């Protein structure tokens, strides 16, 4: 059995995070090189811990991302936070060469962070629902139409494939260390957070 490896996560300032990632030739999906990359990405995401990781974050400029939300990550959140965000536990999913479509006009704002902007958080408005289509780790076509936190993760990870980071989209004056954002806004409703942000 192959040892599970964890890759270093590259940080903002690394050029690969600002480049459009390349399509992966579907014929390569079943190669040990790509299968190993996917395993490493999932292991790295879990170890961080995080709810998503794109290949550029481990220094690979290919259009691949993984995402997963786990019950143990939800355990630290209040019932209001879970409900408002639409956080739900789901198993690891892999998307290769994805296309992303925003569904409807509803936009929702929340703080989010990024493993490549380690230790910080910012308020980002995103579409409430999306549809993503792409290949899975076996090369099979899959589609996922979803709202709530998975929709936010998908938009965040898709941005990585385009060379974008959440800081490009955030309300810049909300930018805070993750520690201070948690201390100030943790457990509060979106309305309470917005009111707190208004007064600086
Ligand atoms: Zn990220």
């Amino acid at each position: 059995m192959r040892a599970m490896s964890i890759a270093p996560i590259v940080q903002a300032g690394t050029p690969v995070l600002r480049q459009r990632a390349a399509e992966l030739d579907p014929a390569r999906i079943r190669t040990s090189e790509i299968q190993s990359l996917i395993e490493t990405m999932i292991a790295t995401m879990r170890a961080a811990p995080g709810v998503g990781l794109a290949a550029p974050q481990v220094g690979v400029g290919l259009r691949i991302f993984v995402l997963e939300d786990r019950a143990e990550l939800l355990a630290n959140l209040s019932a209001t936070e879970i409900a408002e965000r639409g956080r739900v536990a789901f198993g690891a999913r892999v998307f290769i060469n994805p296309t992303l479509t925003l569904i409807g006009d509803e936009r929702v704002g929340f703080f989010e962070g990024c493993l490549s902007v380690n230790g910080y958080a910012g308020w980002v408005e995103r579409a409430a629902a999306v549809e993503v289509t792409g290949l899975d780790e076996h090369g099979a076509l899959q589609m996922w139409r979803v709202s709530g936190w998975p929709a936010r993760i998908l938009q965040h990870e898709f941005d990585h494939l385009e060379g974008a980071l959440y800081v490009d989209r955030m309300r810049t004056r909300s930018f805070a260390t993750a520690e201070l954002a948690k201390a100030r806004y943790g457990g509060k409703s979106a309305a309470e957070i917005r009111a707190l942000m208004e007064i600086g």
Side-chain angles (χ1 to χ4, degrees), residues 52 57 113-116 156-157 160 165-166:
Q57 294 182 274
C114 176
L115 296 174
S116 294
H156 179 115
E157 301 309 329
H160 275 301
L165 297 173
Y166 81 87

Side-chain angles (χ1 to χ4, degrees), residues 26 40-41 44 48 56 61 88 97 106 118 162 182 185 195:
T40 296
M41 287 172 62
T44 302
V88 285
N97 300 340
E106 189 187 349
N118 195 28
E162 297 295 298
K182 186 175 169 59
Y185 306 119

Side-chain angles (χ1 to χ4, degrees), residues 9 38-39 42 58 84 107 132 145 175:
I9 297 174
I38 290 169
E39 285 174 24
I42 291 173
V58 292
E84 284 191 334
R107 298 291 179 270
V132 62
R145 190 177 178 116
F175 192 56

Side-chain angles (χ1 to χ4, degrees), residues 49-132:
V51 293
L53 193 74
Q57 294 182 274
V58 292
V60 178
L62 289 173
R63 303 184 78 75
I64 304 172
F65 62 67
V66 300
L67 68 165
E68 176 185 62
D69 209 348
R70 288 178 289 138
E72 64 195 79
L73 298 177
L74 303 182
N76 301 322
L77 301 172
S78 70
T80 299
E81 287 175 312
I82 291 172
E84 284 191 334
R85 285 163 180 70
R87 283 271 309 242
V88 285
F90 60 90
R93 299 193 66 157
V94 179
F95 282 90
I96 298 167
N97 300 340
T99 59
L100 182 85
T101 307
L102 309 186
I103 305 296
D105 296 326
E106 189 187 349
R107 298 291 179 270
V108 285
F110 285 108
F111 271 90
E112 65 180 64
C114 176
L115 296 174
S116 294
V117 189
N118 195 28
Y120 292 91
W123 181 269
V124 185
E125 303 260 342
R126 294 198 184 270
V130 300
E131 182 176 295
V132 62

